[in-house]
Amino acid sequence: MNATPTTDTQRTESAEGRTGGCLCGRIRFTAQGPAVFPHTCECEHCQKLGGSPVMWWVGFKTITWIGEGGEPTWYETFRGEAKRGFCPTCGSRLAAIDSDISEVGINVTALDDTSGPDLVPIHASF
């Protein structure tokens, strides 16, 4: 999630119990808390990571990894600053952890249900 949310632009609608996972289903998760800072990113890093011109991110305070595959495999994209989580079986991009952001970033397309006004991107990074 390479962007820092500001208090006045954060969404506060509840997203209790949202579920998601990878394409093959080995990695599953539950996202708890309100969706924070929904945004798209078109930086070179996200383009290479996602294999597309843009990625769609949102933060959640708590992610619980519930599938048989456990947590995603983490790739440290920026040493000591950021890592990205993916499924080692199917390659789905699932999550991001950045040292300067308290929420876990989730690739919105990994959610089972991507509808809802709290997921509409209100920012664009880069």
Side-chain angles (χ1 to χ4, degrees):
M1 283 193 25
N2 297 329
T4 304
T6 58
T7 305
D8 62 328
T9 58
Q10 289 183 13
R11 300 283 173 120
T12 58
E13 296 171 43
S14 179
E16 293 297 325
R18 273 205 168 101
T19 59
C22 66
L23 182 62
C24 72
R26 289 185 47 79
I27 297 179
R28 299 284 304 155
F29 63 86
T30 299
Q32 297 171 332
V36 176
F37 198 65
H39 70 285
T40 58
C41 185
E42 58 186 68
C43 74
E44 184 177 304
H45 170 79
C46 280
Q47 289 176 349
K48 286 184 180 184
L49 179 70
S52 66
V54 68
M55 287 190 79
W56 182 16
W57 296 101
V58 68
F60 291 98
K61 196 55 135 178
T62 304
I63 301 295
T64 305
W65 305 103
I66 58 174
E68 70 178 64
E71 244 184 85
T73 296
W74 295 98
Y75 174 73
E76 191 171 25
T77 52
F78 299 102
R79 190 178 180 121
E81 294 180 30
K83 56 187 178 178
R84 305 295 182 247
F86 65 95
C87 174
T89 302
C90 67
S92 295
R93 280 71 170 169
L94 301 167
I97 295 175
D98 291 291
S99 63
D100 61 341
I101 298 174
S102 61
E103 293 81 20
V104 175
I106 290 294
N107 184 348
V108 174
T109 58
L111 292 169
D112 294 333
D113 181 1
T114 60
S115 65
D118 59 335
L119 298 178
V120 173
I122 58 172
H123 296 282
S125 300
F126 299 90

